[in-house]
Amino acid sequence: MADESTPLFESELAPQNSYTGASARADTSKTNPSDDRRVALFLFLEARTPAGLFYESFTIFLIFLSVITFILSSLYLPEYNDSPIATQCGKLCDAIWFGNYPDNALAGLGIGATSIVEIFVVGVFSIDYILRFYTADLIDPKFEGVLGRLRFIPTFFSLVDLASTIPFYVDSFLLPDTDLAASNFLRMFRLLRMMKVEGRFDLALGMIDDVFRAQKGVLGTALFVGITVWGVLSSFFYIAERKNPDMIYCGKAADWCFQDQDDIDTSLCTTDEWGVVDCSAAGCDSKDGQEVCWNLYRSIVDSSFWTLTNLFGEFPLVDQHNVWGKVLGTFTAVIAVAVFALPVGVLASGFEDQIARRREQKALDNKGDEHEYEEEVVGDESTFRGRLYNFFHRQRSPSAKLFVSFVNMLVFGCAISFMFDSITNPSINGGWHAFFSWFQFFSFLVFTMQYFLRLYSTGENPKHRGGGLLHYALNFVQVIDALTIFPYWVGIVSSSGPAPTLFLLFKIFHIQKCNHAFSTFGDVLRENMDVLYVTGFSATLLWILFASILYYTERDSLDEEMKGYYNTIPNSMWITLLNLSGECPLAHYSNVGKVIVGIIGLFATAVFGIPIGILGAGFETLVTSKYDDSPDEEDANTDQSALNSPTAWGFEEACYQFVNGVGSKAAIFELSIYTLIVATVTIGIVGTVPGYEDFGNRLEWFAVVVFTIEYVLRFIGAGADAEFSTGSNGLMARGKYVFSFY
């Protein structure tokens, strides 16, 4: 047996495998044949052998198959889905794929509703778990023996494996006559093991853990403030809205309550001091002591759900609030920005620090590496191909730069003409459509010529000769060009209409600034792919998980609108995705659904805030490192600006200083301008009130005269303003001022 102090696979597995966060341990030189077989089995399960890699791919396929069949199974339930597709899967189809009904072709097994896919997948995963349980001590010595195996059971991946298999056995053998909620979607969490084997799991979660540890003080404060504000606002909303008749919701009202009306007249309902609603005057009595109508703010607990949606920036009851509710809603909207946006900002700041440290560490690691820089290829001007190469690839000559601007103009012109050409208004002359078509035809001739001449001339570059030409043809820019021009000519030949013209919008990516922007975006993605991979994958898991839970909690809702949006898992996934992105288009959830939606709202800040923080911090760090001027460059630019600044004549300088508040009199004038601005805005607001249309007209005329004088003074003083006068004479400076934002 191996010595417990000797690590197993010290040089091979320890850096990579971390099934439970610890290195695998053993000593292959001291193992007997039985241990050798267990080691081989362990390596197989951990995908460290060719066969193990194939098995890992096979299990991933089974996981995806299981999750997809679970999602699609909800489409074939006629009791919930009224679409014609719901009846298209018979007993054999159900027995193979979905297992929705116990009387399908597998009814003879006597294990309730199941399918061949489910039986096979559960069988594979059960054997997989038994083998992992058998080799658990090779993961960590603490899992040796009976007690060690018991310690292995509550580990994260062990629980994931059990959660994906045990419900099947309970449903099939212990409770065969019941219909437990399908747990197929839980099997997708087994995919986390794939990330762990690849090494991304520990690296990415380590970075996330560092961010949360560094920012835990601020995040804790934000959480405390958020919960406090939530509780206080919930209480105030309860007080303001609990007797508001517009907030009465009749979710359990029978059809006869409506009396051929679209809705119950809740203005006839009464509310007692405890918030109990009585709508008998509106023709809708309570049944068996149960409320059929109730106020949505009947308790602080109920109020807390609606307040939470408000704090997330959603106001589903916006047209039902009373005056005090609107006042609270206004305050809540401000708090939502100030308090609930704080965690995202904190996370972004934390990730910015971590990304900067990673870049510094990478720079130190690569400090000793020697980098070879490619010498720029210059075409031979004595040959036709060489001149084309310099024109289309180097683009240094004035004519080449002019051609680039010309092509960019054609790209924007084609995009605009395509949009206007889609207008079918009869008032637009047919000649315009003919003009747009001929303009597009000419533009695509130019694009096609440019594409083939670039492809031909790239042979001037030695690395693009032979097989390198195909590599060049498949790069981003050339693929965009191909996607732009070839569908257009196919559409012309086949007369398929304007659809192929839509591909010209891809040409926009070819424009230099767009190309640089996407290049920068690609750099950010590559540098942070490990963390984005984990967070994106986790977001997908949570998306399917919450969509599945809400499907079960809301498909039997008394609210017809809610039932319609949650009648299938694909429909549930659409609404859940909106919830995870911070939207809440639906509101009348069941009590369990409200809890889930509240959790989703919190996850929307945590999970979706992480990628936003990573991308924002990555962009800031990368752009800063690329485009920040060095101190010497900044000093040189400052000195050059000083040299280019002309000397302003006295009156210009006096006007410039006066309108910018230099001097006591000028300061009074500047304060007067601000006062008049506030006054004119107030006059404009009051003037919208009926009966006050002429309020403050004279003051408004006076303000216009003063603003005109100020503009003239600023126009004259522009010659002394460094923002407009640098490198320009007085006339050009005033021209810049006229066309500036101000």
Side-chain angles (χ1 to χ4, degrees):
M1 291 296 292
D3 186 353
E4 288 189 1
S5 63
T6 306
L8 175 65
F9 321 125
E10 186 170 9
S11 61
E12 180 180 2
L13 282 181
Q16 302 178 45
N17 176 61
S18 53
Y19 184 77
T20 60
S23 300
R25 301 172 64 87
D27 187 348
T28 54
S29 63
K30 299 180 181 180
T31 55
N32 57 38
S34 175
D35 288 335
D36 289 341
R37 288 193 294 270
R38 292 200 322 121
V39 168
L41 178 60
F42 177 80
L43 293 173
F44 172 81
L45 294 174
E46 290 298 300
R48 301 300 166 79
T49 65
L53 289 172
F54 176 80
Y55 173 72
E56 182 190 49
S57 300
F58 176 66
T59 57
I60 292 172
F61 166 76
L62 290 183
I63 292 168
F64 279 114
L65 176 64
S66 180
V67 174
I68 290 172
T69 55
F70 166 70
I71 293 173
L72 294 180
S73 68
S74 64
L75 297 175
Y76 299 97
L77 293 172
E79 58 267 38
Y80 297 107
N81 185 16
D82 56 2
S83 172
I85 195 177
T87 59
Q88 299 301 310
C89 186
K91 291 185 177 181
L92 180 60
C93 169
D94 187 66
I96 295 174
W97 299 107
F98 306 123
N100 283 327
Y101 300 104
D103 60 344
N104 62 23
L106 296 178
L109 297 178
I111 58 175
T114 188
S115 67
I116 294 175
V117 169
E118 185 175 21
I119 293 173
F120 180 75
V121 171
V122 170
V124 171
F125 289 161
S126 298
I127 296 173
D128 180 272
Y129 182 79
I130 292 172
L131 295 178
R132 291 184 185 277
F133 186 83
Y134 171 62
T135 59
D137 59 311
L138 298 180
I139 301 170
D140 195 299
K142 68 181 181 181
F143 297 139
E144 290 182 353
V146 177
L147 293 179
R149 294 300 194 277
L150 293 177
R151 283 193 291 268
F152 171 77
I153 292 176
T155 59
F156 175 76
F157 286 103
S158 171
L159 293 176
V160 168
D161 291 343
L162 292 175
S164 64
T165 54
I166 287 182
F168 170 81
Y169 295 108
V170 173
D171 194 17
S172 299
F173 300 105
L174 298 181
L175 302 171
D177 297 326
T178 62
D179 183 21
L180 293 180
S183 62
N184 307 44
F185 63 92
L186 292 175
R187 293 173 194 147
M188 64 189 174
F189 287 99
R190 293 176 61 97
L191 290 172
L192 291 174
R193 182 183 288 114
M194 177 183 65
M195 290 191 297
K196 200 170 185 67
V197 170
E198 292 180 357
R200 295 176 176 177
F201 190 87
D202 290 331
L203 179 63
L205 286 189
M207 180 179 177
I208 295 173
D209 182 64
D210 290 341
V211 171
F212 276 94
R213 285 179 180 275
Q215 306 292 336
K216 63 180 180 180
V218 181
L219 287 174
T221 302
L223 178 64
F224 176 78
V225 173
I227 293 176
T228 302
V229 170
W230 179 25
V232 171
L233 286 176
S234 298
S235 303
F236 279 118
F237 268 115
Y238 163 71
I239 295 172
E241 301 287 357
R242 65 193 182 101
K243 293 188 177 182
N244 180 4
D246 291 331
M247 288 296 178
I248 294 176
Y249 173 68
C250 298
K252 295 183 180 179
D255 293 338
W256 54 265
C257 287
F258 293 91
Q259 299 178 352
D260 299 326
Q261 301 179 34
D262 294 334
D263 205 350
I264 296 172
D265 186 2
T266 56
S267 63
L268 301 176
C269 301
T270 59
T271 305
D272 65 16
E273 59 179 333
W274 300 104
V276 178
V277 174
D278 181 8
C279 286
S280 57
C284 197
D285 298 327
S286 299
K287 290 289 185 181
D288 301 327
Q290 294 184 350
E291 290 180 289
V292 295
C293 298
W294 59 87
N295 190 293
L296 296 174
Y297 288 86
R298 59 182 171 179
S299 70
I300 295 179
V301 175
D302 289 302
S303 175
S304 64
F305 170 73
W306 303 104
T307 305
L308 185 62
T309 60
N310 296 157
L311 286 168
F312 291 145
E314 293 295 309
F315 292 84
L317 307 176
V318 62
D319 58 341
Q320 297 172 238
H321 286 287
N322 57 25
V323 175
W324 285 110
K326 291 177 181 178
V327 172
L328 287 171
T330 303
F331 181 73
T332 303
V334 176
I335 292 298
V337 175
V339 176
F340 276 72
L342 182 61
V344 176
V346 171
L347 291 176
S349 176
F351 278 110
E352 181 180 351
D353 294 339
Q354 291 296 325
I355 290 171
R357 291 177 185 174
R358 291 177 64 176
R359 288 177 63 85
E360 291 173 1
Q361 185 61 45
K362 185 181 295 185
L364 291 175
D365 294 340
N366 298 332
K367 189 174 181 180
D369 297 343
E370 294 183 359
H371 299 281
E372 296 183 0
Y373 297 95
E374 281 190 21
E375 185 177 347
E376 183 182 14
V377 176
V378 180
D380 185 358
E381 286 290 339
S382 64
T383 64
F384 177 66
R385 189 174 71 172
R387 290 192 295 271
L388 286 178
Y389 182 86
N390 292 335
F391 184 84
F392 285 107
H393 294 273
R394 297 188 70 232
Q395 299 177 349
R396 300 293 177 82
S397 66
S399 58
K401 294 179 180 178
L402 181 63
F403 180 76
V404 171
S405 300
F406 175 66
V407 170
N408 291 345
M409 182 190 70
L410 290 181
V411 172
F412 283 114
C414 283
I416 294 172
S417 67
F418 173 73
M419 289 186 287
F420 279 99
D421 200 26
S422 65
I423 299 176
T424 58
N425 193 321
S427 62
I428 296 180
N429 192 305
W432 281 105
H433 293 290
F435 169 76
F436 293 145
S437 298
W438 280 108
F439 179 80
Q440 292 170 8
F441 181 78
F442 170 76
S443 300
F444 275 93
L445 280 177
V446 176
F447 298 155
T448 306
M449 176 200 71
Q450 180 195 32
Y451 175 78
F452 284 106
L453 290 179
R454 282 177 62 89
L455 205 60
Y456 164 72
S457 62
T458 193
E460 192 74 7
N461 190 331
K463 74 175 185 178
H464 291 157
R465 294 170 186 165
L469 181 61
L470 178 61
H471 182 268
Y472 173 78
L474 295 178
N475 70 24
F476 177 77
V477 174
Q478 294 304 113
V479 170
I480 289 299
D481 279 347
L483 288 175
T484 301
I485 61 177
F486 289 121
Y488 175 80
W489 295 116
V490 171
I492 291 293
V493 173
S494 62
S495 301
S496 59
T501 314
L502 179 64
F503 287 92
L504 68 87
L505 298 178
F506 285 117
K507 189 73 175 177
I508 294 176
F509 295 129
H510 190 285
I511 295 175
Q512 186 177 16
K513 290 185 178 179
C514 292
N515 200 1
H516 288 172
F518 277 91
S519 176
T520 302
F521 184 72
D523 292 341
V524 174
L525 288 180
R526 279 191 296 273
E527 291 194 4
N528 302 284
M529 184 55 68
D530 50 357
V531 185
L532 290 173
Y533 181 90
V534 172
T535 54
F537 194 84
S538 301
T540 302
L541 297 182
L542 291 173
W543 178 27
I544 298 176
L545 174 66
F546 285 128
S548 303
I549 295 175
L550 286 173
Y551 163 71
Y552 285 113
T553 62
E554 305 304 322
R555 64 179 181 175
D556 293 314
S557 173
L558 296 173
D559 190 291
E560 291 298 324
E561 183 182 22
M562 296 292 297
K563 184 186 295 186
Y565 278 107
Y566 288 97
N567 62 341
T568 67
I569 293 179
N571 284 344
S572 176
M573 290 176 68
W574 160 240
I575 299 298
T576 305
L577 181 62
L578 296 179
N579 295 149
L580 282 168
S581 63
E583 300 294 323
C584 191
L586 303 177
H588 298 296
Y589 290 92
S590 63
N591 290 333
V592 176
K594 289 178 180 178
V595 173
I596 298 301
V597 171
I599 295 174
I600 287 175
L602 298 176
F603 270 109
T605 301
V607 177
F608 281 76
I610 290 174
I612 293 173
I614 292 171
L615 291 176
F619 265 109
E620 182 173 351
T621 304
L622 189 64
V623 171
T624 300
S625 65
K626 282 187 176 181
Y627 301 112
D628 262 3
D629 289 334
S630 66
D632 294 338
E633 290 174 333
E634 292 178 356
D635 293 340
N637 290 338
T638 303
D639 295 341
Q640 187 64 32
S641 298
L643 291 173
N644 291 336
S645 298
T647 303
W649 53 286
F651 187 61
E652 280 183 334
E653 184 69 28
C655 290
Y656 172 73
Q657 292 185 1
F658 183 77
V659 294
N660 283 281
V662 179
S664 57
K665 294 181 180 179
I668 295 174
F669 177 78
E670 187 177 36
L671 180 60
S672 302
I673 293 295
Y674 292 145
T675 304
L676 285 176
I677 291 173
V678 175
T680 52
V681 171
T682 304
I683 291 171
I685 295 173
V686 175
T688 62
V689 179
Y692 291 87
E693 291 84 355
D694 298 327
F695 176 78
N697 277 354
R698 293 184 178 180
L699 180 59
E700 193 169 14
W701 274 107
F702 174 74
V704 170
V705 172
V706 175
F707 293 157
T708 304
I709 295 173
E710 182 202 20
Y711 180 80
V712 172
L713 294 175
R714 288 189 180 277
F715 178 79
I716 296 172
D721 191 338
E723 181 178 356
F724 305 112
S725 63
T726 301
S728 307
N729 56 33
L731 181 61
M732 292 183 63
R734 292 181 181 84
K736 290 181 180 179
Y737 171 73
V738 170
F739 292 103
S740 69
F741 172 78
Y742 299 103

